[in-house]
């Protein structure tokens, strides 16, 4: 919860990747709040009050996962809405002639997006495809698995692109974007 709050303020993309990881952590503990409290939260250097807040947060997420049928797979609706918001902003940025650097970055990663979509789920947005690639790479790194130089290059470019979109997202939420000029 505490990490999520900080990430949400600073990078919506990192926040989403973190929340996807939290969904997987909850599944790894069988959607059991008592297991998460005893085997996971207890390991953190938090005060008792912070541990209770963290447990409440996990409890709420477990409840949402159960209600939404996401115990086995899929992302919580609250996270899917954020991906949708990012996709909407992405489309608006592309349609505007006032964001040439964003457009250039998009066209730089487009071949990677096309390749990923050809190998994966074609029914998700380009933005979700990029986030899936970043999340998958993050999971491979956590497992200490090798990542080819080609994949590393693609992920670096996708990361730059998603970082740029994330910055625009926060700018739009915090101060608004002037759509008349870049």
């Amino acid at each position: 919860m505490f990490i999520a709050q900080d990430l949400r303020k600073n990078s919506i993309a990192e926040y989403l990747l973190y929340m996807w990881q939290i969904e997987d952590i909850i599944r790894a503990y069988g959607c059991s709040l008592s297991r998460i409290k005893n085997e996971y939260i207890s390991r953190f250097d938090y005060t008792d009050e912070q541990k209770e807040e963290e447990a409440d947060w996990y409890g709420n997420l477990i409840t949402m996962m159960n209600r939404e049928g996401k115990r086995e797979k899929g992302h919580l609706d609250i996270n899917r809405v954020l991906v949708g918001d990012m996709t909407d902003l992405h489309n608006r940025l592309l349609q505007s002639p006032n964001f040439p650097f964003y457009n250039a970055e998009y066209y730089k990663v487009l071949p990677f997006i096309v390749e990923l979509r050809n190998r994966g789920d074609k029914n998700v947005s380009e933005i979700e495809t990029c986030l899936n690639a970043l999340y998958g790479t993050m999971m491979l790194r956590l497992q200490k698995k090798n990542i080819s130089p080609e994949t590393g290059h693609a992920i670096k470019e996708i990361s730059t692109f998603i970082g740029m979109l994330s910055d625009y997202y926060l700018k739009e939420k915090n101060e608004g974007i002037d759509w008349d000029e870049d």
Side-chain angles (χ1 to χ4, degrees):
M1 175 184 87
F2 303 110
I3 294 169
Q5 288 171 336
D6 287 341
L7 287 173
R8 183 146 188 172
K9 289 180 210 162
N10 298 312
S11 171
I12 201 65
E14 288 181 36
Y15 169 79
L16 276 168
L17 296 174
Y18 178 76
M19 290 304 295
W20 289 1
Q21 186 178 22
I22 293 298
E23 292 167 345
D24 283 344
I25 287 169
I26 290 170
R27 289 183 188 109
Y29 285 99
C31 296
S32 167
L33 182 57
S34 62
R35 283 192 63 205
I36 291 170
K37 284 167 70 171
N38 295 328
E39 299 171 34
Y40 186 68
I41 296 172
S42 64
R43 298 183 345 209
F44 293 106
D45 188 26
Y46 290 155
T47 65
D48 288 343
E49 185 179 317
Q50 288 173 319
K51 286 180 183 178
E52 279 306 309
E53 285 181 61
E54 193 84 355
D56 287 346
W57 183 68
Y58 274 95
N60 288 332
L61 292 173
I62 291 167
T63 299
M64 284 187 262
M65 288 173 77
N66 286 326
R67 269 196 216 128
E68 296 174 18
K70 307 285 172 60
R71 286 180 64 95
E72 301 297 322
K73 65 178 182 168
H75 299 301
L76 288 167
D77 290 347
I78 56 172
N79 297 328
R80 290 173 3 112
V81 166
L82 287 175
V83 173
D85 290 348
M86 288 179 72
T87 299
D88 291 344
L89 177 60
H90 162 71
N91 291 330
R92 288 187 291 151
L93 289 166
L94 286 181
Q95 291 168 0
S96 172
N98 300 317
F99 302 94
F101 295 112
Y102 183 81
N103 273 271
E105 197 62 39
Y106 168 70
Y107 285 107
K108 194 172 175 183
V109 300
L110 186 56
F112 303 125
I113 295 171
V114 170
E115 184 178 338
L116 288 165
R117 289 178 72 126
N118 285 336
R119 286 194 263 152
D121 189 351
K122 294 172 183 62
N123 295 320
V124 299
S125 71
E126 292 177 327
I127 300 308
E128 189 167 350
T129 296
C130 290
L131 291 167
N132 284 335
L134 294 172
Y135 186 74
T137 303
M138 182 177 78
M139 291 295 103
L140 289 173
R141 286 184 177 139
L142 286 172
Q143 297 167 18
K144 301 197 185 316
K145 294 195 176 169
N146 288 333
I147 297 164
S148 72
E150 297 83 14
T151 299
H153 172 71
I155 290 302
K156 185 173 187 248
E157 295 297 335
I158 290 169
S159 182
T160 299
F161 167 66
I162 290 296
M164 187 179 281
L165 176 59
S166 189
D167 290 345
Y168 276 119
Y169 180 92
L170 290 177
K171 181 175 177 146
E172 171 82 336
K173 292 293 176 204
N174 293 331
E175 60 194 74
I177 291 176
D178 183 357
W179 291 96
D180 295 326
E181 54 184 283
D182 193 13

